[in-house]
Amino acid sequence: MNIESEQKSKVSKNAEISDEVLIARFQDGDNYAFDLLVKRYTDPLLNFVYRFLGERTEAEDIVQETFLRLFKNKHYYKEIAKFSTWIYTIASNLAKTELRKRKRRNLFSISNYMSTEKDYDIPDQESDPEGEANSVVTDQIIQKAINKLSPKFKQVIVLRDIQGFSYEEIAEIVKIPLGTVKSRVNRARLKLQDD
């Protein structure tokens, strides 16, 4: 078996390991398991927090703080809930705190109006400049509409329609009843349709 085959085999095996097994290994002192969790969750968390806050640099800071808290508080995770629910709860709480800070600061930032936004989705391997341009424009329109939503609607619509979480998982992350989650998602969708 050559080196390239060994590396592909190792990557494949790492992809098969559940999040819960990785966090258990990390809790037992395996820092490589932490690295795998970071690789697995960086892009999805960046996408979520960016959609929630609408600002890339702040989203990157929030995700970095999320992983720092994971590192420092690894023993607080108990396999009562899925690991993804736990880490999204941390990121969500940090993002909500940032929104509250923004309200207090009430600062105007020119960077909010610059076109330096980054798409964190998995890139298409085939080049299609026209499709890419349309995708960027569509993404900007969607993000602009999402930014108009209040935080309580923004949070659930991003978790449901962009991140793909179930209503039950969202209820755990946001700490609200299942019926409230469904209601907020529906109301957010209606508000987005009106824009």
Side-chain angles (χ1 to χ4, degrees), residues 38-48 120-122 163:
V38 170
K39 287 177 185 168
R40 193 173 283 183
Y41 279 94
T42 297
D43 286 345
L45 285 173
L46 274 171
N47 191 7
F48 165 66
Y120 291 102
D121 294 333
I122 298 172
Q163 295 296 311

Side-chain angles (χ1 to χ4, degrees), residues 119 121-129 131-132:
D119 189 6
D121 294 333
I122 298 172
D124 185 12
Q125 298 300 322
E126 295 181 26
S127 180
D128 177 15
E132 289 175 19

